[in-house]
Amino acid sequence: MLHRRRTAALMLAAALAGTLALTGCDMARDVFPKAFESEQAPASSAPTEKPAPSPEGEWKTVTTDAGDVSFRIRTDWRVQSAPAQQGSSTTGIPSYRVLDSGGRELAVLQQNPGGLTSQALPGSSFTAVDAVPATGVPLLVDASKAQVLFDLTTHPNGDSDAVYGLTSGLPATAAAAPGARVPLGGGIQGYPKLAGPLVFQGVLDLGADARANRQEAALAAAREYALSQEYADITAMMLSLDYHPERAQAVECAGSSFIYEAVNVDCATVLDVYHTARIAEDFDSRSGSRVRVKGKYVCDLKELGARHDGLPPGYGIDGTCRVDGGYGSFTAVWKER
């Protein structure tokens, strides 16, 4: 009998202890809720599908200074023109920075990119993140394989770069390359991403994940960004790029004998190129012919001393030059006497 009573007492004590323990746990949850958050909150799920671009009413159209290129941006974004630096453009024209509402750079547009365009380091590797067809974008080159591409550039001794941009989908030719040679990746992979003689690209800030020993984290961050609303809108912006040369507005440049009307070529370059065309190419230029100047300009010159378009010598248009395979041209008109 004594044994039975002792067993019952032990069982009652155990039950009471369990009840107190549960009650104490509940009390602790009430007093220290933060301590139990990880156990209560479900794990957050990352997006697995691309969102659609923002609604139609949240966009506006912007145009370059020359008026020949336009694209759409969100109404809370803005475009900032950046004057050309030495070597940033082969024709000395500005670039256009797309900024979000807080001033963070989302992308840069540059026609006729120059040798200062940054390029992936030799020895870099490229990992694809996202690709969207861009065959409807009017380019100066074959656009049948054009895409908006996003990839991660990694290097064993350098930081990672997550770069997205418009590309023709074809390896860049040496004539269209911004530097002395075709960049690593051919203008398709890595950076710069080239759409013919045009760069329209952006770089994702990876923060600490850009370090060489964090390549897996960098790739995960890039893939997550590719599914964000912001990147969906950046892609839509790049796909909206339009080229309409008939709307271009010429800038007037004054020379000693000529007035020049130039589109997408700065005045210093205009004067230098035409002086070379008429002086350095003296034999061909006097008789009137087509000459190539500085590798990138094709100039059609009229015969000196002859009547043209019913006008006496020294009047009217003397010649026209265009950027071969690029954006830009200018016309030389004799100054009035």
Side-chain angles (χ1 to χ4, degrees):
M1 177 67 87
L2 182 60
H3 176 70
R4 288 180 181 176
R5 287 178 180 173
R6 183 175 297 170
T7 301
L10 290 172
M11 292 176 64
L12 179 59
L16 288 171
T19 301
L20 289 171
L22 289 173
T23 303
C25 185
D26 290 337
M27 290 175 63
R29 287 179 192 273
D30 293 337
V31 178
F32 306 107
K34 292 287 185 183
F36 294 87
E37 278 186 355
S38 60
E39 151 185 341
Q40 292 176 337
S44 60
S45 57
T48 57
E49 295 184 0
K50 295 180 185 178
S54 292
E56 182 67 26
E58 297 181 13
W59 295 84
K60 62 182 179 181
T61 300
V62 294
T63 307
T64 60
D65 292 346
D68 63 331
V69 169
S70 64
F71 55 95
R72 303 203 310 158
I73 63 172
R74 275 183 8 194
T75 53
D76 59 335
W77 294 354
R78 59 190 173 92
V79 171
Q80 183 181 78
S81 175
Q85 304 296 319
Q86 184 67 35
S88 63
S89 167
T90 57
T91 57
I93 59 176
S95 60
Y96 299 89
R97 302 173 64 221
V98 180
L99 310 175
D100 71 1
S101 58
R104 178 171 55 92
E105 185 177 285
L106 301 175
V108 176
L109 171 71
Q110 176 71 73
Q111 294 166 272
N112 306 328
L116 281 186
T117 305
S118 61
Q119 300 188 16
L121 294 173
S124 294
S125 300
F126 314 113
T127 304
V129 175
D130 187 62
V132 177
T135 53
V137 178
L139 302 175
L140 296 186
V141 294
D142 180 8
S144 60
K145 296 182 180 180
Q147 292 180 311
V148 175
L149 290 178
F150 187 7
D151 58 24
L152 182 73
T153 301
T154 57
H155 192 277
N157 300 316
D159 291 349
S160 298
D161 294 288
V163 182
Y164 45 82
L166 181 65
T167 169
S168 65
L170 299 171
T173 63
R181 57 178 179 272
V182 176
L184 189 70
I188 303 172
Q189 294 177 305
Y191 57 93
K193 288 184 169 59
L194 298 174
L198 178 141
V199 171
F200 198 8
Q201 70 176 21
V203 181
L204 172 63
D205 183 1
L206 293 170
D209 289 336
R211 296 172 185 165
N213 61 346
R214 295 178 61 89
Q215 294 180 359
E216 290 186 7
L219 182 58
R223 285 173 172 165
E224 181 178 355
Y225 185 68
L227 299 177
S228 68
Q229 183 63 57
E230 182 174 272
Y231 184 68
D233 290 338
I234 288 173
T235 302
M237 173 186 70
M238 292 183 174
L239 292 176
S240 75
L241 186 78
D242 196 8
Y243 178 52
H244 26 75
E246 72 282 357
R247 301 183 195 172
Q249 298 180 355
V251 174
E252 189 174 282
C253 306
S256 58
S257 300
F258 303 103
I259 295 294
Y260 303 92
E261 297 174 351
V263 175
N264 280 327
V265 186
D266 74 305
C267 288
T269 302
V270 166
L271 296 174
D272 182 40
V273 168
Y274 208 69
H275 179 269
T276 302
R278 272 303 190 194
I279 303 302
E281 304 292 340
D282 181 69
F283 179 79
D284 290 329
S285 74
R286 283 183 177 277
S287 59
S289 63
R290 172 171 291 181
V291 297
R292 179 174 289 274
V293 183
K294 297 183 180 295
K296 284 186 174 292
Y297 294 87
V298 175
C299 297
D300 291 307
L301 308 173
K302 294 184 176 180
E303 182 181 358
L304 288 175
R307 295 178 63 90
H308 299 289
D309 304 321
L311 297 174
Y315 289 86
I317 294 175
D318 183 67
T320 59
C321 298
R322 60 179 173 83
V323 182
D324 188 21
Y327 299 86
S329 62
F330 62 88
T331 300
V333 182
W334 284 97
K335 282 185 173 182
E336 293 185 6
R337 291 181 172 82

